Amino acid sequence: FGPTDTLIKNIVDAKAEVYFRVGRSNISGGNTVPADFAKYGEVVKHVVMHYNQGWANGFEYGIRYFEIWNEPDFKPFWTGTGEQYHDLYKAIALGIKAADPNALIGGPANSTFNDMMKTRGSLMQYIKDNQLPLDFYSFHKYTNKSNDPFDYARMARSFREELDKYGFMKAEIVNSEFESSLQGDPILGGQAGRAVFMAEALMYMQDAPVARAHSYMPIGSTQSKESLAFAAVSKLNATPRRLCTQGANDSGFAVLAGRADEAQTLQVLLANYQVPKSLQGPIPGGNEEELNVPGLGYLATMTYPERRSFSYPDKEGYALTINAIPETWGDVAIKQYRIDASNDFKLINTTVSKAADRPQGSLHIDGAAWAHARPGADDPNPKGAEQGLDLLVITGAAATSTAP
Protein backbone atom coordinates (compact mmCIF):
# COMPACT_ATOMS: atom_id res chain seq x y z
CA PHE A 1 0.00 0.00 0.00
CA GLY A 2 2.97 2.34 0.52
CA PRO A 3 3.10 4.31 -2.77
CA THR A 4 -0.68 4.59 -3.02
CA ASP A 5 -0.93 5.63 0.64
CA THR A 6 1.44 8.51 -0.08
CA LEU A 7 -0.39 9.56 -3.23
CA ILE A 8 -3.82 9.56 -1.62
CA LYS A 9 -2.54 11.39 1.47
CA ASN A 10 -1.21 14.14 -0.79
CA ILE A 11 -4.63 14.49 -2.40
CA VAL A 12 -6.39 14.58 0.96
CA ASP A 13 -3.88 17.07 2.37
CA ALA A 14 -4.55 19.33 -0.61
CA LYS A 15 -8.24 19.25 0.42
CA ALA A 16 -9.17 17.68 -2.92
CA GLU A 17 -11.49 14.70 -3.29
CA VAL A 18 -10.10 11.31 -4.27
CA TYR A 19 -11.55 9.65 -7.38
CA PHE A 20 -10.30 6.09 -7.18
CA ARG A 21 -9.85 4.25 -10.45
CA VAL A 22 -9.64 0.49 -9.96
CA GLY A 23 -7.45 -1.32 -12.50
CA ARG A 24 -4.68 -0.44 -14.87
CA SER A 25 -4.63 3.15 -16.08
CA ASN A 26 -1.20 3.42 -17.66
CA ILE A 27 -0.13 1.75 -20.89
CA SER A 28 3.04 0.47 -19.23
CA GLY A 29 0.90 -1.34 -16.64
CA GLY A 30 -0.19 -4.02 -19.07
CA ASN A 31 -3.56 -4.82 -20.56
CA THR A 32 -4.09 -8.52 -19.88
CA VAL A 33 -7.31 -9.77 -18.37
CA PRO A 34 -7.04 -10.80 -14.68
CA ALA A 35 -6.89 -14.57 -14.37
CA ASP A 36 -9.35 -14.90 -11.49
CA PHE A 37 -12.17 -12.36 -11.31
CA ALA A 38 -13.41 -13.54 -7.90
CA LYS A 39 -9.94 -13.16 -6.40
CA TYR A 40 -9.53 -9.77 -8.05
CA GLY A 41 -12.84 -8.62 -6.55
CA GLU A 42 -11.70 -9.83 -3.11
CA VAL A 43 -8.45 -7.88 -3.45
CA VAL A 44 -10.34 -4.72 -4.38
CA LYS A 45 -12.65 -5.27 -1.40
CA HIS A 46 -9.66 -5.17 0.93
CA VAL A 47 -8.21 -2.12 -0.82
CA VAL A 48 -11.45 -0.28 -0.07
CA MET A 49 -11.35 -1.56 3.50
CA HIS A 50 -7.82 -0.21 3.83
CA TYR A 51 -8.73 3.32 2.76
CA ASN A 52 -12.23 3.62 4.17
CA GLN A 53 -12.39 1.20 7.11
CA GLY A 54 -8.86 1.33 8.53
CA TRP A 55 -7.98 -2.27 7.64
CA ALA A 56 -4.26 -3.19 7.67
CA ASN A 57 -3.10 -0.01 9.43
CA GLY A 58 -5.23 1.93 6.98
CA PHE A 59 -7.39 5.02 7.00
CA GLU A 60 -10.94 6.25 7.23
CA TYR A 61 -10.91 8.64 4.30
CA GLY A 62 -14.46 7.95 3.23
CA ILE A 63 -13.50 7.84 -0.45
CA ARG A 64 -16.76 7.92 -2.38
CA TYR A 65 -16.07 7.40 -6.07
CA PHE A 66 -14.69 4.09 -7.35
CA GLU A 67 -14.39 3.73 -11.12
CA ILE A 68 -14.03 0.19 -12.44
CA TRP A 69 -11.19 -0.03 -14.94
CA ASN A 70 -9.80 2.40 -17.47
CA GLU A 71 -11.06 2.39 -21.05
CA PRO A 72 -11.92 -1.30 -21.57
CA ASP A 73 -12.89 -0.28 -25.12
CA PHE A 74 -9.25 0.64 -25.87
CA LYS A 75 -6.79 -2.21 -26.39
CA PRO A 76 -3.79 -0.64 -24.60
CA PHE A 77 -5.82 -1.12 -21.39
CA TRP A 78 -7.95 -4.21 -22.11
CA THR A 79 -7.44 -7.17 -24.43
CA GLY A 80 -10.46 -9.13 -23.29
CA THR A 81 -14.01 -9.15 -24.61
CA GLY A 82 -16.86 -6.90 -23.61
CA GLU A 83 -18.51 -9.83 -21.85
CA GLN A 84 -15.38 -10.42 -19.80
CA TYR A 85 -15.38 -6.79 -18.73
CA HIS A 86 -19.01 -7.19 -17.63
CA ASP A 87 -18.10 -10.15 -15.44
CA LEU A 88 -15.14 -8.29 -13.95
CA TYR A 89 -17.35 -5.27 -13.27
CA LYS A 90 -19.71 -7.57 -11.34
CA ALA A 91 -16.93 -9.07 -9.20
CA ILE A 92 -15.41 -5.69 -8.37
CA ALA A 93 -18.73 -3.91 -7.75
CA LEU A 94 -19.86 -6.60 -5.29
CA GLY A 95 -16.49 -6.47 -3.53
CA ILE A 96 -16.61 -2.70 -3.13
CA LYS A 97 -20.18 -2.70 -1.82
CA ALA A 98 -19.30 -5.45 0.67
CA ALA A 99 -16.48 -3.29 2.01
CA ASP A 100 -18.36 0.01 2.02
CA PRO A 101 -22.11 0.14 1.28
CA ASN A 102 -21.87 3.94 0.96
CA ALA A 103 -19.33 3.84 -1.86
CA LEU A 104 -20.37 5.10 -5.30
CA ILE A 105 -19.54 2.60 -8.03
CA GLY A 106 -19.34 3.19 -11.75
CA GLY A 107 -17.47 2.97 -15.00
CA PRO A 108 -16.46 2.14 -17.65
CA ALA A 109 -14.50 5.24 -18.72
CA ASN A 110 -15.89 4.83 -22.24
CA SER A 111 -13.42 6.38 -24.67
CA THR A 112 -14.95 5.51 -28.05
CA PHE A 113 -18.49 6.94 -27.75
CA ASN A 114 -19.84 3.65 -29.11
CA ASP A 115 -20.87 0.17 -27.97
CA MET A 116 -18.54 -1.93 -30.13
CA MET A 117 -16.81 -3.27 -27.02
CA LYS A 118 -20.11 -3.45 -25.13
CA THR A 119 -19.27 -0.54 -22.83
CA ARG A 120 -22.38 1.49 -23.49
CA GLY A 121 -25.94 0.17 -23.86
CA SER A 122 -24.78 -3.45 -23.58
CA LEU A 123 -23.13 -2.71 -20.24
CA MET A 124 -26.19 -0.89 -18.97
CA GLN A 125 -28.38 -3.87 -19.90
CA TYR A 126 -26.00 -6.30 -18.13
CA ILE A 127 -25.94 -4.20 -14.96
CA LYS A 128 -29.74 -3.94 -15.01
CA ASP A 129 -30.22 -7.67 -15.61
CA ASN A 130 -27.84 -8.56 -12.77
CA GLN A 131 -29.13 -5.89 -10.37
CA LEU A 132 -25.68 -4.41 -9.89
CA PRO A 133 -24.90 -0.88 -8.74
CA LEU A 134 -24.31 1.84 -11.32
CA ASP A 135 -24.06 5.03 -9.31
CA PHE A 136 -22.31 6.85 -12.15
CA TYR A 137 -21.43 6.29 -15.79
CA SER A 138 -18.03 7.64 -16.84
CA PHE A 139 -16.55 8.62 -20.17
CA HIS A 140 -13.31 10.02 -21.56
CA LYS A 141 -13.02 12.50 -24.40
CA TYR A 142 -10.23 14.18 -26.33
CA THR A 143 -11.62 16.44 -29.03
CA ASN A 144 -9.82 14.85 -31.96
CA LYS A 145 -10.97 16.25 -35.31
CA SER A 146 -13.05 19.05 -33.76
CA ASN A 147 -11.43 20.93 -30.85
CA ASP A 148 -14.96 22.03 -30.04
CA PRO A 149 -15.38 22.65 -26.27
CA PHE A 150 -19.11 21.98 -26.55
CA ASP A 151 -18.52 18.31 -27.51
CA TYR A 152 -18.43 17.18 -23.88
CA ALA A 153 -21.87 18.61 -23.14
CA ARG A 154 -23.32 17.07 -26.30
CA MET A 155 -21.88 13.65 -25.50
CA ALA A 156 -23.11 13.78 -21.91
CA ARG A 157 -26.64 14.43 -23.13
CA SER A 158 -26.39 11.37 -25.38
CA PHE A 159 -25.27 9.21 -22.45
CA ARG A 160 -28.04 10.70 -20.29
CA GLU A 161 -30.71 9.65 -22.77
CA GLU A 162 -29.35 6.11 -22.89
CA LEU A 163 -29.03 5.76 -19.13
CA ASP A 164 -32.60 6.92 -18.68
CA LYS A 165 -33.77 4.41 -21.30
CA TYR A 166 -32.30 1.56 -19.24
CA GLY A 167 -33.79 2.85 -16.00
CA PHE A 168 -30.70 4.52 -14.51
CA MET A 169 -32.30 7.93 -14.05
CA LYS A 170 -30.39 8.54 -10.80
CA ALA A 171 -26.97 7.55 -12.14
CA GLU A 172 -24.59 10.48 -12.43
CA ILE A 173 -22.42 11.11 -15.47
CA VAL A 174 -18.71 11.71 -14.87
CA ASN A 175 -16.34 13.01 -17.53
CA SER A 176 -13.35 11.45 -15.81
CA GLU A 177 -10.71 12.42 -18.38
CA PHE A 178 -10.84 15.21 -20.94
CA GLU A 179 -8.62 17.50 -22.93
CA SER A 180 -8.28 18.95 -26.42
CA SER A 181 -7.17 16.88 -29.41
CA LEU A 182 -4.40 14.29 -29.10
CA GLN A 183 -3.90 14.22 -32.88
CA GLY A 184 -2.29 17.60 -33.34
CA ASP A 185 -5.46 19.29 -34.60
CA PRO A 186 -5.02 23.08 -34.64
CA ILE A 187 -6.22 25.47 -31.97
CA LEU A 188 -6.31 29.11 -32.99
CA GLY A 189 -4.20 31.33 -30.78
CA GLY A 190 -1.84 28.69 -29.41
CA GLN A 191 -1.67 28.70 -25.61
CA ALA A 192 -4.30 31.40 -25.29
CA GLY A 193 -6.65 29.30 -27.41
CA ARG A 194 -5.98 26.22 -25.28
CA ALA A 195 -6.78 28.26 -22.16
CA VAL A 196 -10.12 29.46 -23.47
CA PHE A 197 -10.94 25.96 -24.73
CA MET A 198 -10.47 24.64 -21.19
CA ALA A 199 -12.58 27.39 -19.64
CA GLU A 200 -15.43 26.98 -22.11
CA ALA A 201 -15.43 23.18 -21.78
CA LEU A 202 -15.99 23.60 -18.04
CA MET A 203 -18.52 26.39 -18.51
CA TYR A 204 -20.62 24.46 -21.02
CA MET A 205 -20.63 21.36 -18.82
CA GLN A 206 -22.29 23.44 -16.09
CA ASP A 207 -25.51 23.22 -18.10
CA ALA A 208 -25.01 19.61 -19.19
CA PRO A 209 -25.84 16.42 -17.22
CA VAL A 210 -22.25 16.15 -15.94
CA ALA A 211 -21.76 15.71 -12.20
CA ARG A 212 -17.95 15.82 -12.26
CA ALA A 213 -15.26 16.59 -14.81
CA HIS A 214 -11.55 15.78 -14.51
CA SER A 215 -9.11 17.60 -16.76
CA TYR A 216 -6.07 15.75 -18.05
CA MET A 217 -4.08 18.88 -18.83
CA PRO A 218 -0.27 18.85 -18.67
CA ILE A 219 0.97 20.25 -15.36
CA GLY A 220 4.46 21.71 -15.06
CA SER A 221 6.50 23.53 -12.46
CA THR A 222 5.07 26.87 -13.60
CA GLN A 223 1.53 27.98 -14.29
CA SER A 224 0.33 27.89 -17.87
CA LYS A 225 -2.42 29.92 -19.47
CA GLU A 226 -4.51 26.75 -19.50
CA SER A 227 -4.08 26.04 -15.78
CA LEU A 228 -4.86 29.68 -15.05
CA ALA A 229 -8.08 29.35 -17.05
CA PHE A 230 -9.00 26.35 -14.90
CA ALA A 231 -8.35 28.54 -11.86
CA ALA A 232 -10.48 31.35 -13.29
CA VAL A 233 -13.48 29.05 -13.55
CA SER A 234 -12.88 27.73 -10.04
CA LYS A 235 -13.04 31.28 -8.67
CA LEU A 236 -16.77 31.18 -9.27
CA ASN A 237 -17.05 28.84 -6.27
CA ALA A 238 -16.69 31.96 -4.12
CA THR A 239 -19.98 33.29 -5.54
CA PRO A 240 -22.16 30.16 -5.51
CA ARG A 241 -25.57 31.73 -6.14
CA ARG A 242 -25.79 31.45 -9.90
CA LEU A 243 -27.29 34.36 -11.81
CA CYS A 244 -29.29 34.37 -15.03
CA THR A 245 -27.34 35.64 -18.04
CA GLN A 246 -28.31 36.60 -21.59
CA GLY A 247 -26.24 36.94 -24.75
CA ALA A 248 -24.13 33.79 -24.47
CA ASN A 249 -24.31 30.90 -26.94
CA ASP A 250 -23.00 27.35 -27.41
CA SER A 251 -20.84 28.27 -30.40
CA GLY A 252 -17.98 30.01 -28.66
CA PHE A 253 -19.20 32.88 -26.47
CA ALA A 254 -19.77 31.58 -22.94
CA VAL A 255 -20.87 33.48 -19.83
CA LEU A 256 -21.31 32.43 -16.19
CA ALA A 257 -22.16 34.68 -13.27
CA GLY A 258 -22.72 34.29 -9.56
CA ARG A 259 -23.03 36.29 -6.36
CA ALA A 260 -22.43 35.91 -2.66
CA ASP A 261 -24.77 38.27 -0.84
CA GLU A 262 -23.15 38.21 2.60
CA ALA A 263 -19.77 38.95 1.06
CA GLN A 264 -21.26 41.63 -1.22
CA THR A 265 -19.44 40.05 -4.15
CA LEU A 266 -20.53 39.34 -7.69
CA GLN A 267 -18.43 37.66 -10.40
CA VAL A 268 -18.89 37.33 -14.15
CA LEU A 269 -16.78 35.08 -16.36
CA LEU A 270 -16.85 35.71 -20.11
CA ALA A 271 -14.97 33.63 -22.69
CA ASN A 272 -14.63 33.89 -26.46
CA TYR A 273 -13.37 30.92 -28.52
CA GLN A 274 -13.29 30.03 -32.21
CA VAL A 275 -13.00 26.60 -33.82
CA PRO A 276 -10.61 26.54 -36.79
CA LYS A 277 -12.26 26.45 -40.21
CA SER A 278 -10.52 23.17 -41.07
CA LEU A 279 -12.30 21.47 -38.13
CA GLN A 280 -15.82 22.53 -39.10
CA GLY A 281 -18.43 20.67 -41.09
CA PRO A 282 -18.55 16.95 -41.97
CA ILE A 283 -15.47 14.88 -41.15
CA PRO A 284 -13.78 13.66 -44.36
CA GLY A 285 -14.24 9.90 -44.43
CA GLY A 286 -17.07 9.89 -41.90
CA ASN A 287 -17.49 9.90 -38.13
CA GLU A 288 -15.86 6.53 -37.43
CA GLU A 289 -12.10 6.01 -37.39
CA GLU A 290 -10.02 2.91 -36.81
CA LEU A 291 -7.00 3.83 -34.73
CA ASN A 292 -3.87 1.95 -35.78
CA VAL A 293 -0.45 2.86 -34.38
CA PRO A 294 2.84 1.46 -35.72
CA GLY A 295 4.22 -1.03 -33.23
CA LEU A 296 0.90 -1.29 -31.38
CA GLY A 297 -1.46 -2.16 -34.20
CA TYR A 298 -5.22 -1.76 -33.90
CA LEU A 299 -6.27 0.14 -30.78
CA ALA A 300 -9.97 0.94 -31.13
CA THR A 301 -12.69 2.21 -33.42
CA MET A 302 -13.62 5.75 -32.44
CA THR A 303 -16.99 7.40 -33.07
CA TYR A 304 -16.93 11.19 -33.22
CA PRO A 305 -19.87 13.55 -32.66
CA GLU A 306 -21.15 15.36 -35.73
CA ARG A 307 -18.97 18.39 -36.34
CA ARG A 308 -20.60 21.80 -36.41
CA SER A 309 -20.15 24.79 -38.69
CA PHE A 310 -19.83 28.36 -37.43
CA SER A 311 -19.98 31.92 -38.65
CA TYR A 312 -18.10 34.14 -36.24
CA PRO A 313 -18.73 37.88 -36.01
CA ASP A 314 -15.66 40.08 -35.78
CA LYS A 315 -16.04 40.88 -32.09
CA GLU A 316 -14.28 43.90 -30.66
CA GLY A 317 -14.77 43.35 -26.97
CA TYR A 318 -18.15 43.21 -25.25
CA ALA A 319 -20.77 45.40 -23.56
CA LEU A 320 -21.99 44.04 -20.22
CA THR A 321 -24.94 45.22 -18.17
CA ILE A 322 -25.51 43.93 -14.64
CA ASN A 323 -28.97 44.66 -13.26
CA ALA A 324 -30.33 44.99 -9.75
CA ILE A 325 -27.15 45.51 -7.75
CA PRO A 326 -28.48 46.11 -4.22
CA GLU A 327 -28.39 49.71 -2.98
CA THR A 328 -26.89 48.44 0.28
CA TRP A 329 -23.70 47.57 -1.61
CA GLY A 330 -23.03 51.30 -2.00
CA ASP A 331 -20.05 52.22 -4.18
CA VAL A 332 -18.70 49.09 -5.83
CA ALA A 333 -15.18 48.24 -6.94
CA ILE A 334 -14.73 46.50 -10.31
CA LYS A 335 -11.65 44.43 -11.05
CA GLN A 336 -11.07 42.95 -14.48
CA TYR A 337 -8.71 39.98 -14.88
CA ARG A 338 -7.81 38.70 -18.36
CA ILE A 339 -6.28 35.74 -20.15
CA ASP A 340 -5.43 36.18 -23.83
CA ALA A 341 -2.34 36.23 -26.03
CA SER A 342 -0.96 39.20 -24.07
CA ASN A 343 -2.15 38.47 -20.50
CA ASP A 344 -1.80 35.59 -18.04
CA PHE A 345 -4.78 36.13 -15.71
CA LYS A 346 -3.56 39.67 -15.23
CA LEU A 347 -5.44 42.47 -13.49
CA ILE A 348 -5.89 44.88 -16.41
CA ASN A 349 -8.37 47.36 -15.02
CA THR A 350 -9.73 48.62 -11.69
CA THR A 351 -12.60 51.09 -11.46
CA VAL A 352 -15.21 52.25 -8.96
CA SER A 353 -18.90 52.69 -9.68
CA LYS A 354 -20.66 55.21 -7.46
CA ALA A 355 -24.04 54.18 -6.13
CA ALA A 356 -25.49 57.49 -7.29
CA ASP A 357 -24.44 56.69 -10.86
CA ARG A 358 -26.37 53.40 -11.05
CA PRO A 359 -30.04 53.99 -11.96
CA GLN A 360 -32.20 51.12 -10.75
CA GLY A 361 -28.97 49.41 -9.68
CA SER A 362 -27.71 48.83 -13.24
CA LEU A 363 -23.99 48.73 -13.90
CA HIS A 364 -22.56 48.97 -17.43
CA ILE A 365 -19.08 47.69 -18.30
CA ASP A 366 -17.40 47.94 -21.68
CA GLY A 367 -14.79 45.25 -22.14
CA ALA A 368 -11.98 46.06 -24.54
CA ALA A 369 -11.19 43.57 -27.27
CA TRP A 370 -9.10 40.55 -26.41
CA ALA A 371 -5.72 40.38 -28.11
CA HIS A 372 -6.01 38.95 -31.61
CA ALA A 373 -4.09 35.74 -32.09
CA ARG A 374 -1.67 35.58 -34.97
CA PRO A 375 -3.81 34.66 -38.00
CA GLY A 376 -3.10 31.30 -39.61
CA ALA A 377 -4.31 29.26 -42.54
CA ASP A 378 -7.30 28.01 -40.51
CA ASP A 379 -8.37 31.48 -39.38
CA PRO A 380 -10.92 33.25 -41.61
CA ASN A 381 -10.31 36.55 -39.79
CA PRO A 382 -7.32 38.37 -41.33
CA LYS A 383 -6.72 40.05 -37.96
CA GLY A 384 -6.65 36.70 -36.14
CA ALA A 385 -9.18 35.20 -33.74
CA GLU A 386 -10.03 36.85 -30.44
CA GLN A 387 -9.31 33.98 -28.08
CA GLY A 388 -9.65 35.26 -24.53
CA LEU A 389 -11.52 35.32 -21.25
CA ASP A 390 -12.26 37.90 -18.59
CA LEU A 391 -13.16 37.48 -14.94
CA LEU A 392 -14.95 40.50 -13.53
CA VAL A 393 -15.07 40.79 -9.73
CA ILE A 394 -17.53 43.36 -8.39
CA THR A 395 -17.45 44.02 -4.65
CA GLY A 396 -19.59 46.23 -2.45
CA ALA A 397 -18.44 48.73 0.13
CA ALA A 398 -18.60 46.19 2.97
CA ALA A 399 -16.76 43.45 1.06
CA THR A 400 -13.27 42.24 1.85
CA SER A 401 -12.10 40.96 -1.52
CA THR A 402 -8.86 39.25 -2.38
CA ALA A 403 -7.18 39.00 -5.75
CA PRO A 404 -7.51 35.73 -7.70
Side-chain angles (χ1 to χ4, degrees):
F1 288 111
T4 308
D5 285 354
T6 300
L7 177 63
I8 291 181
K9 183 179 184 301
N10 288 342
I11 296 172
V12 173
D13 288 349
K15 301 189 184 307
E17 185 173 358
V18 174
Y19 182 88
F20 200 112
R21 178 179 295 162
V22 176
R24 305 179 182 105
S25 58
N26 186 292
I27 290 178
S28 63
N31 57 4
T32 56
V33 177
D36 186 332
F37 289 177
K39 183 176 181 180
Y40 200 98
E42 190 67 17
V43 169
V44 174
K45 171 184 173 181
H46 284 81
V47 170
V48 177
M49 290 169 58
H50 177 72
Y51 290 111
N52 281 2
Q53 312 295 342
W55 178 77
N57 296 317
F59 310 89
E60 295 182 0
Y61 285 139
I63 297 172
R64 297 191 302 152
Y65 286 85
F66 291 89
E67 181 182 67
I68 298 177
W69 219 257
N70 178 60
E71 300 181 3
D73 53 353
F74 198 64
K75 285 200 176 294
F77 303 113
W78 181 259
T79 55
T81 65
E83 289 84 358
Q84 285 177 304
Y85 172 71
H86 294 174
D87 291 339
L88 180 62
Y89 182 99
K90 179 179 180 179
I92 294 176
L94 294 176
I96 293 173
K97 280 296 186 185
D100 186 350
N102 296 318
L104 300 178
I105 298 170
N110 178 301
S111 67
T112 58
F113 197 45
N114 61 49
D115 198 32
M116 294 182 186
M117 278 294 292
K118 303 184 184 303
T119 57
R120 194 165 170 168
S122 299
L123 174 63
M124 297 173 195
Q125 185 67 61
Y126 176 86
I127 292 173
K128 179 179 180 180
D129 290 344
N130 287 271
Q131 299 182 320
L132 299 173
L134 181 65
D135 299 304
F136 64 92
Y137 183 90
S138 61
F139 74 101
H140 293 176
K141 175 61 179 175
Y142 294 84
T143 52
N144 297 348
K145 304 190 183 303
S146 74
N147 274 337
D148 183 347
F150 195 59
D151 278 357
Y152 310 106
R154 297 165 64 203
M155 293 172 69
R157 287 168 184 157
S158 174
F159 289 125
R160 180 75 273 158
E161 290 177 3
E162 196 158 16
L163 285 163
D164 291 351
K165 182 179 75 172
Y166 284 96
F168 295 106
M169 278 78 73
K170 294 183 179 180
E172 297 179 349
I173 294 175
V174 175
N175 183 358
S176 58
E177 186 176 315
F178 78 93
E179 246 293 346
S180 55
S181 173
L182 290 175
Q183 295 182 333
D185 296 309
I187 289 184
L188 300 178
Q191 293 304 310
R194 293 183 69 87
V196 186
F197 174 95
M198 171 58 65
E200 291 208 355
L202 294 167
M203 294 167 78
Y204 286 140
M205 281 190 279
Q206 290 290 317
D207 290 317
V210 177
R212 304 167 70 85
H214 304 159
S215 168
Y216 211 65
M217 77 174 77
I219 299 294
S221 58
T222 58
Q223 293 176 317
S224 66
K225 289 182 186 289
E226 186 177 19
S227 65
L228 290 169
F230 194 97
V233 178
S234 75
K235 292 297 176 184
L236 294 175
N237 287 317
T239 47
R241 181 184 172 192
R242 188 170 174 183
L243 302 178
C244 176
T245 63
Q246 295 178 322
N249 56 50
D250 62 16
S251 57
F253 187 65
V255 180
L256 283 176
R259 63 188 276 180
D261 291 325
E262 292 184 3
Q264 289 194 357
T265 302
L266 185 152
Q267 296 185 108
V268 183
L269 184 66
L270 307 97
N272 192 65
Y273 177 85
Q274 295 185 14
V275 174
K277 194 70 176 176
S278 65
L279 300 181
Q280 298 182 30
I283 299 173
N287 286 34
E288 288 190 359
E289 178 189 27
E290 283 194 5
L291 293 183
N292 292 277
V293 175
L296 295 176
Y298 172 78
L299 304 182
T301 298
M302 310 298 293
T303 299
Y304 300 112
E306 293 287 339
R307 288 201 314 204
R308 305 187 296 164
S309 296
F310 309 92
S311 178
Y312 295 112
D314 185 13
K315 292 187 180 74
E316 290 296 339
Y318 55 86
L320 174 66
T321 299
I322 302 173
N323 295 318
I325 295 178
E327 290 184 14
T328 54
W329 286 26
D331 298 343
V332 298
I334 307 161
K335 294 184 178 181
Q336 181 183 11
Y337 299 87
R338 172 164 289 191
I339 299 175
D340 62 6
S342 303
N343 298 283
D344 291 352
F345 208 16
K346 179 182 177 182
L347 178 62
I348 63 169
N349 194 24
T350 301
T351 57
V352 173
S353 170
K354 297 290 186 180
D357 296 333
R358 296 197 306 275
Q360 291 79 48
S362 295
L363 171 64
H364 301 280
I365 300 172
D366 290 319
W370 289 286
H372 286 274
R374 181 186 302 174
D378 287 311
D379 191 349
N381 188 339
K383 293 186 294 185
E386 282 188 78
Q387 307 280 60
L389 68 87
D390 279 10
L391 176 66
L392 298 168
V393 183
I394 296 97
T395 53
T400 54
S401 63
T402 58

